[in-house]
Amino acid sequence: MKKILSVLLAATMVLSLAACGSSSTTATTAAATQAQAATEAAPAKQLTMGFIYLHDENSTYDRNFMEAAKAACEAKGVTYIEKVGIPETNECYEAAADLVDRGADIVFADSFGHESFLLQAAKEFPEVEFAHATGTMAHTEKLANFHNAFAAIYDGRYLAGIAAGMKLNEMIEAGTITADQAKMGYVGAFTYAEVISGYTSFYLGAKSVCPTVTMDVQFTGSWYDEALEKEAAQTLLGRNCVLISQHADSMGAPTACEEAGVPNVSYNGSTISACPNTFIVSSRINWQPYFEYLIDCKMNGTAVDTDYTGSLADGSVVLTEVNEKVAAAGTQAAIDAAAAKINSGELHVFDTTTFTVEGKALDSYMADVDTDEAYTPDTEAVANGYFHESEYRSAPYFNVSVDGITTLNAMF
């Protein structure tokens, strides 16, 4: 208040002197300088970033976002606010509007089903940046303040698959299983491209080192249901799967593996504290680089990419430390070698020479990139010997059924 009064007083002096026809240039200059200094001394508004989470910290998926969001806001000196347990309904729009009312300059939502409601808020509040994980609408809507983001997590899952394949080889060499018994199980949430892309890349990573591997997939129809995920893992174990992985958000599958003594590759964070005897490794998206990118853009007044894809190279795709107690010898070295080839462009996860579809090589595939209500295929995704996943849009669109993977059910 004192600074404001000083500014007003200085301005009044300038006007008074001018009105009186004063010729005192020194006084006028001093008053103007004082007013400018007071204005420059006023602190800039601190940015606020609001987050909308589908579940709470008990979900490995949401906790991964939460930890990255808090770290990014702390690193950038930004105020952090959140809405937790927000379903994929109009409650998401209401949460977004509430965050804006609380001063949010940027709003981020973390679940696929939040997207249409976040888009509604973006249209209503054009001065606020809205960003969304795993979505497809920004690519076609082209709204200046609405953005989608994801990462090339298929690279991380492929590397985790290498760890799984090496474990299978160790079991074969030890005589625990035969080569034709190298069957993995996978607990998936929904039969969406994101999940299909993930489990296929995991399978291809395992197959790159254990060529006899096969895999069964059981869907739960929920992103987070511990009982259903544990039941799905137990179903897979009952079908003689000797290693389990997942794209689901609870401890259900890892717990089932620990109880059964079966190796597990988890997702979105290490489960070593709860499952020390079965956890091998986990891949996840590190969202901190993207959150810091959003903050920097807002601070600098630069445009945010409409569709952003993080990578291994920029630290957006990461793996946990390998649990040497469970993993096969040499696992970390094998992961590092493959990661270097991915970063150099020498290795492509969906190299069409490494898999078949109904016994044939995949030489063409029209993917649904510019999504419409009918999910109409519109973009040729196979070129130069590989499927170009997440290169034409950040959200995955690989939904090919490759040989060697059996889906036991479907959930849309």
Side-chain angles (χ1 to χ4, degrees), residues 74-93:
E74 182 178 357
K76 294 293 182 178
V78 169
T79 300
Y80 169 94
I81 55 178
E82 67 176 22
K83 302 286 285 190
V84 174
I86 304 302
E88 296 167 321
T89 65
N90 193 61
E91 193 173 333
C92 176
Y93 161 75

mmCIF file of all heavy atoms in Angstrom, residues 74-93:
data_model
loop_
_atom_site.group_PDB
_atom_site.id
_atom_site.type_symbol
_atom_site.label_atom_id
_atom_site.label_comp_id
_atom_site.label_asym_id
_atom_site.label_seq_id
_atom_site.Cartn_x
_atom_site.Cartn_y
_atom_site.Cartn_z
ATOM 1 N N GLU A 74 7.815 -27.214 -7.325
ATOM 2 C CA GLU A 74 8.836 -26.788 -6.363
ATOM 3 C C GLU A 74 10.080 -26.272 -7.088
ATOM 4 O O GLU A 74 10.648 -25.236 -6.725
ATOM 5 C CB GLU A 74 9.210 -27.948 -5.441
ATOM 6 C CG GLU A 74 10.236 -27.575 -4.384
ATOM 7 C CD GLU A 74 10.566 -28.719 -3.441
ATOM 8 O OE1 GLU A 74 9.965 -29.792 -3.565
ATOM 9 O OE2 GLU A 74 11.455 -28.524 -2.571
ATOM 10 N N ALA A 75 10.481 -26.981 -8.142
ATOM 11 C CA ALA A 75 11.685 -26.586 -8.881
ATOM 12 C C ALA A 75 11.515 -25.230 -9.559
ATOM 13 O O ALA A 75 12.468 -24.460 -9.667
ATOM 14 C CB ALA A 75 12.023 -27.648 -9.927
ATOM 15 N N LYS A 76 10.297 -24.925 -9.978
ATOM 16 C CA LYS A 76 10.035 -23.691 -10.710
ATOM 17 C C LYS A 76 9.444 -22.582 -9.841
ATOM 18 O O LYS A 76 9.171 -21.477 -10.342
ATOM 19 C CB LYS A 76 9.095 -23.975 -11.890
ATOM 20 C CG LYS A 76 9.710 -24.864 -12.971
ATOM 21 C CD LYS A 76 10.848 -24.148 -13.686
ATOM 22 C CE LYS A 76 11.448 -24.976 -14.790
ATOM 23 N NZ LYS A 76 12.528 -24.260 -15.513
ATOM 24 N N GLY A 77 9.232 -22.843 -8.565
ATOM 25 C CA GLY A 77 8.675 -21.827 -7.688
ATOM 26 C C GLY A 77 7.231 -21.492 -8.000
ATOM 27 O O GLY A 77 6.810 -20.339 -7.913
ATOM 28 N N VAL A 78 6.464 -22.512 -8.345
ATOM 29 C CA VAL A 78 5.065 -22.341 -8.739
ATOM 30 C C VAL A 78 4.155 -22.913 -7.655
ATOM 31 O O VAL A 78 4.458 -23.940 -7.047
ATOM 32 C CB VAL A 78 4.819 -23.064 -10.086
ATOM 33 C CG1 VAL A 78 3.337 -23.158 -10.409
ATOM 34 C CG2 VAL A 78 5.558 -22.345 -11.205
ATOM 35 N N THR A 79 3.026 -22.259 -7.401
ATOM 36 C CA THR A 79 2.059 -22.743 -6.425
ATOM 37 C C THR A 79 1.339 -23.973 -6.973
ATOM 38 O O THR A 79 0.868 -23.974 -8.112
ATOM 39 C CB THR A 79 1.026 -21.659 -6.082
ATOM 40 O OG1 THR A 79 1.706 -20.529 -5.545
ATOM 41 C CG2 THR A 79 0.004 -22.153 -5.079
ATOM 42 N N TYR A 80 1.246 -25.008 -6.147
ATOM 43 C CA TYR A 80 0.625 -26.275 -6.533
ATOM 44 C C TYR A 80 -0.733 -26.416 -5.860
ATOM 45 O O TYR A 80 -0.848 -26.263 -4.640
ATOM 46 C CB TYR A 80 1.538 -27.433 -6.123
ATOM 47 C CG TYR A 80 0.918 -28.817 -6.208
ATOM 48 C CD1 TYR A 80 1.086 -29.592 -7.354
ATOM 49 C CD2 TYR A 80 0.193 -29.364 -5.146
ATOM 50 C CE1 TYR A 80 0.544 -30.869 -7.438
ATOM 51 C CE2 TYR A 80 -0.353 -30.634 -5.224
ATOM 52 C CZ TYR A 80 -0.175 -31.381 -6.368
ATOM 53 O OH TYR A 80 -0.717 -32.641 -6.452
ATOM 54 N N ILE A 81 -1.789 -26.685 -6.648
ATOM 55 C CA ILE A 81 -3.105 -27.001 -6.086
ATOM 56 C C ILE A 81 -3.650 -28.223 -6.813
ATOM 57 O O ILE A 81 -3.245 -28.510 -7.949
ATOM 58 C CB ILE A 81 -4.093 -25.819 -6.179
ATOM 59 C CG1 ILE A 81 -4.224 -25.317 -7.617
ATOM 60 C CG2 ILE A 81 -3.675 -24.689 -5.251
ATOM 61 C CD1 ILE A 81 -5.227 -24.179 -7.786
ATOM 62 N N GLU A 82 -4.565 -28.964 -6.185
ATOM 63 C CA GLU A 82 -5.010 -30.224 -6.769
ATOM 64 C C GLU A 82 -6.473 -30.520 -6.472
ATOM 65 O O GLU A 82 -7.065 -29.968 -5.536
ATOM 66 C CB GLU A 82 -4.161 -31.382 -6.252
ATOM 67 C CG GLU A 82 -4.353 -31.640 -4.769
ATOM 68 C CD GLU A 82 -3.576 -32.847 -4.255
ATOM 69 O OE1 GLU A 82 -2.587 -33.259 -4.881
ATOM 70 O OE2 GLU A 82 -3.964 -33.369 -3.187
ATOM 71 N N LYS A 83 -7.024 -31.411 -7.286
ATOM 72 C CA LYS A 83 -8.343 -32.008 -7.067
ATOM 73 C C LYS A 83 -8.152 -33.515 -7.226
ATOM 74 O O LYS A 83 -7.717 -33.981 -8.286
ATOM 75 C CB LYS A 83 -9.368 -31.495 -8.073
ATOM 76 C CG LYS A 83 -9.558 -29.977 -8.080
ATOM 77 C CD LYS A 83 -10.338 -29.480 -6.870
ATOM 78 C CE LYS A 83 -11.798 -29.776 -6.983
ATOM 79 N NZ LYS A 83 -12.599 -29.100 -5.922
ATOM 80 N N VAL A 84 -8.473 -34.270 -6.190
ATOM 81 C CA VAL A 84 -8.187 -35.703 -6.155
ATOM 82 C C VAL A 84 -9.486 -36.502 -6.213
ATOM 83 O O VAL A 84 -10.517 -36.088 -5.686
ATOM 84 C CB VAL A 84 -7.406 -36.050 -4.869
ATOM 85 C CG1 VAL A 84 -7.211 -37.546 -4.729
ATOM 86 C CG2 VAL A 84 -6.062 -35.345 -4.871
ATOM 87 N N GLY A 85 -9.428 -37.669 -6.858
ATOM 88 C CA GLY A 85 -10.592 -38.543 -6.928
ATOM 89 C C GLY A 85 -11.682 -38.004 -7.829
ATOM 90 O O GLY A 85 -12.871 -38.109 -7.521
ATOM 91 N N ILE A 86 -11.294 -37.432 -8.972
ATOM 92 C CA ILE A 86 -12.254 -36.814 -9.890
ATOM 93 C C ILE A 86 -12.618 -37.798 -10.994
ATOM 94 O O ILE A 86 -11.765 -38.173 -11.812
ATOM 95 C CB ILE A 86 -11.672 -35.526 -10.506
ATOM 96 C CG1 ILE A 86 -11.235 -34.551 -9.399
ATOM 97 C CG2 ILE A 86 -12.686 -34.884 -11.429
ATOM 98 C CD1 ILE A 86 -12.348 -34.143 -8.447
ATOM 99 N N PRO A 87 -13.867 -38.244 -11.054
ATOM 100 C CA PRO A 87 -14.279 -39.226 -12.066
ATOM 101 C C PRO A 87 -14.329 -38.620 -13.463
ATOM 102 O O PRO A 87 -14.257 -37.402 -13.644
ATOM 103 C CB PRO A 87 -15.673 -39.662 -11.590
ATOM 104 C CG PRO A 87 -16.189 -38.482 -10.832
ATOM 105 C CD PRO A 87 -14.995 -37.871 -10.163
ATOM 106 N N GLU A 88 -14.495 -39.494 -14.443
ATOM 107 C CA GLU A 88 -14.538 -39.070 -15.849
ATOM 108 C C GLU A 88 -15.966 -38.659 -16.213
ATOM 109 O O GLU A 88 -16.608 -39.235 -17.098
ATOM 110 C CB GLU A 88 -14.014 -40.193 -16.734
ATOM 111 C CG GLU A 88 -12.542 -40.505 -16.459
ATOM 112 C CD GLU A 88 -12.075 -41.813 -17.076
ATOM 113 O OE1 GLU A 88 -12.857 -42.796 -17.057
ATOM 114 O OE2 GLU A 88 -10.935 -41.868 -17.566
ATOM 115 N N THR A 89 -16.449 -37.636 -15.513
ATOM 116 C CA THR A 89 -17.804 -37.109 -15.687
ATOM 117 C C THR A 89 -17.730 -35.588 -15.685
ATOM 118 O O THR A 89 -16.637 -35.005 -15.641
ATOM 119 C CB THR A 89 -18.709 -37.557 -14.532
ATOM 120 O OG1 THR A 89 -18.230 -36.957 -13.303
ATOM 121 C CG2 THR A 89 -18.713 -39.071 -14.365
ATOM 122 N N ASN A 90 -18.885 -34.938 -15.683
ATOM 123 C CA ASN A 90 -18.915 -33.475 -15.637
ATOM 124 C C ASN A 90 -18.244 -32.928 -14.381
ATOM 125 O O ASN A 90 -17.903 -31.744 -14.320
ATOM 126 C CB ASN A 90 -20.362 -32.982 -15.703
ATOM 127 C CG ASN A 90 -20.433 -31.490 -15.986
ATOM 128 O OD1 ASN A 90 -19.971 -31.037 -17.023
ATOM 129 N ND2 ASN A 90 -20.995 -30.727 -15.059
ATOM 130 N N GLU A 91 -18.013 -33.780 -13.402
ATOM 131 C CA GLU A 91 -17.287 -33.359 -12.202
ATOM 132 C C GLU A 91 -15.879 -32.893 -12.560
ATOM 133 O O GLU A 91 -15.295 -32.072 -11.848
ATOM 134 C CB GLU A 91 -17.237 -34.502 -11.185
ATOM 135 C CG GLU A 91 -16.788 -34.080 -9.808
ATOM 136 C CD GLU A 91 -16.909 -35.185 -8.769
ATOM 137 O OE1 GLU A 91 -17.765 -36.076 -8.938
ATOM 138 O OE2 GLU A 91 -16.140 -35.146 -7.787
ATOM 139 N N CYS A 92 -15.344 -33.409 -13.671
ATOM 140 C CA CYS A 92 -14.024 -32.967 -14.118
ATOM 141 C C CYS A 92 -14.084 -31.510 -14.568
ATOM 142 O O CYS A 92 -13.203 -30.713 -14.233
ATOM 143 C CB CYS A 92 -13.523 -33.863 -15.244
ATOM 144 S SG CYS A 92 -11.945 -33.327 -15.943
ATOM 145 N N TYR A 93 -15.112 -31.151 -15.340
ATOM 146 C CA TYR A 93 -15.278 -29.746 -15.744
ATOM 147 C C TYR A 93 -15.413 -28.852 -14.517
ATOM 148 O O TYR A 93 -14.794 -27.785 -14.434
ATOM 149 C CB TYR A 93 -16.509 -29.579 -16.640
ATOM 150 C CG TYR A 93 -16.978 -28.148 -16.711
ATOM 151 C CD1 TYR A 93 -16.286 -27.205 -17.473
ATOM 152 C CD2 TYR A 93 -18.067 -27.726 -15.951
ATOM 153 C CE1 TYR A 93 -16.685 -25.873 -17.495
ATOM 154 C CE2 TYR A 93 -18.468 -26.399 -15.966
ATOM 155 C CZ TYR A 93 -17.784 -25.480 -16.737
ATOM 156 O OH TYR A 93 -18.173 -24.158 -16.735
#
